[in-house]
Amino acid sequence: LEAHNGNFGHVLVLGGSLGKTGAAAMAAKAGLRSGAGLVTVATAKGALPIIASMSMEIMTEPLPETDSGTVSLRALKDGILDTLMEGKSVLAVGPGLGRHAETAELVREVVNRYDVPIVIDADGLNAFAGSMEALKANKRVRVLTPHPGEMGRLAGRKTAEIVAHRLEIARKFAQDHGVHLVLKGFRTLTASPEGQIWVNPTGNPGMATGGSGDVLTGITAALLAQYPDRSPTEVTAAAVYLHGLAGDIAARELGEPSMIAGDILEALPKAYQELKQRQQC
């Protein structure tokens, strides 16, 4: 079968800032490991050399930065992001982006600006804490991937309440805001705007480590880029399953206490192989 990298989508990761370069790099590399043809990281100018040095396969683009080393709103006002978005299949927003007020304003404008599927995690989610009314999905694909603490900030509830009533809260939140919601944790939930709930059977406690969510962001963006004609909810649920399966493989090989997010990333090829073997049985 003839194929080239243009057949498998081009993911743009908007992330990274001074001191938080690893998150954007991991999301980008996870996107490549999950089959995206091309992945570009658009990041604060000062963070770019570090991110570029983390993987030879990742393309990078410099963006204007604030005095704190985060991406400036000028990236949008000057038309830079509009140019970068040309030809992109999916946008992933948030890994290592930082919480500067100007950067948060950038996130809110970007998420409402483009029609491509957008995966929102980490500081991308924090930009909407207490102001979810600012997110206008308008039947476009918007995938939010909060852990319980982030979910609490988005929904205006205590974390303990989120954990105790996760299914009901996830379903209502997804329906109310017209988004695809991935509520991370034990038996991660994927909720659709129509009220469907998928309960994920893969994953383990060893995945509760910094950067694990960035890997999931990259996987989700890559699968959405490759399967634009499939149900976004099913594709997102598949990404969650693949992420957990890679984590289970890493746990078998290394043990849960020693796992780091990079182990999940490096186990992705074996996860794909295991899925292929299951299909052949």
Side-chain angles (χ1 to χ4, degrees), residues 102-121:
E102 186 177 329
T103 307
E105 184 179 351
L106 170 76
V107 169
R108 289 189 290 270
E109 292 199 27
V110 162
V111 167
N112 290 331
R113 189 177 186 89
Y114 304 112
D115 290 333
V116 301
I118 300 180
V119 183
I120 311 166
D121 186 36

Side-chain angles (χ1 to χ4, degrees), residues 250-266:
R252 289 200 302 263
E253 296 182 350
L254 303 169
E256 292 178 7
S258 298
M259 283 175 58
I260 59 174
D263 299 325
I264 304 169
L265 176 56
E266 296 306 321

Side-chain angles (χ1 to χ4, degrees), residues 182-218:
V182 176
L183 181 52
K184 295 181 287 195
F186 177 69
R187 297 290 180 258
T188 293
L189 302 177
T190 301
S192 76
E194 296 76 31
Q196 296 171 304
I197 293 281
W198 296 64
V199 182
N200 186 57
T202 60
N204 61 81
M207 299 176 70
T209 182
S212 177
D214 302 312
V215 175
L216 176 60
T217 295

Side-chain angles (χ1 to χ4, degrees), residues 52-268:
S53 71
M54 291 180 176
S55 176
M56 293 184 291
E57 300 87 355
I58 298 170
M59 295 183 288
T60 52
E61 292 284 350
L63 298 176
E65 58 188 9
T66 66
D67 54 6
S68 298
T70 63
V71 178
S72 167
L73 189 58
R74 296 196 310 276
L76 192 59
K77 300 302 182 184
D78 294 348
I80 301 171
L81 277 173
D82 286 346
T83 300
L84 286 178
M85 281 300 298
E86 293 177 5
K88 301 304 185 296
S89 311
V90 176
L91 174 63
V93 178
L97 201 53
R99 299 192 184 188
H100 192 285
E102 186 177 329
T103 307
E105 184 179 351
L106 170 76
V107 169
R108 289 189 290 270
E109 292 199 27
V110 162
V111 167
N112 290 331
R113 189 177 186 89
Y114 304 112
D115 290 333
V116 301
I118 300 180
V119 183
I120 311 166
D121 186 36
D123 290 326
L125 296 171
N126 289 324
F128 290 97
S131 58
M132 267 303 298
E133 71 282 353
L135 196 159
K136 309 297 184 183
N138 295 330
K139 296 185 178 180
R140 297 171 297 184
V141 178
R142 299 294 181 263
V143 181
L144 280 60
T145 62
H147 57 58
E150 291 167 335
M151 186 69 210
R153 292 192 288 274
L154 290 174
R157 296 169 180 256
K158 294 181 179 179
T159 302
E161 186 179 0
I162 299 295
V163 174
H165 304 285
R166 55 202 303 268
L167 194 149
E168 299 95 323
I169 291 173
R171 174 182 282 128
K172 187 175 188 305
F173 187 91
Q175 289 178 309
D176 287 349
H177 298 286
V179 300
H180 301 266
L181 181 74
V182 176
L183 181 52
K184 295 181 287 195
F186 177 69
R187 297 290 180 258
T188 293
L189 302 177
T190 301
S192 76
E194 296 76 31
Q196 296 171 304
I197 293 281
W198 296 64
V199 182
N200 186 57
T202 60
N204 61 81
M207 299 176 70
T209 182
S212 177
D214 302 312
V215 175
L216 176 60
T217 295
I219 296 171
T220 305
L223 294 190
L224 286 169
Q226 291 170 82
Y227 301 102
D229 298 325
R230 300 291 294 271
S231 159
T233 305
E234 292 182 6
V235 173
T236 300
V240 173
Y241 184 93
L242 179 63
H243 179 249
L245 179 59
D248 288 342
I249 292 170
R252 289 200 302 263
E253 296 182 350
L254 303 169
E256 292 178 7
S258 298
M259 283 175 58
I260 59 174
D263 299 325
I264 304 169
L265 176 56
E266 296 306 321
L268 279 170

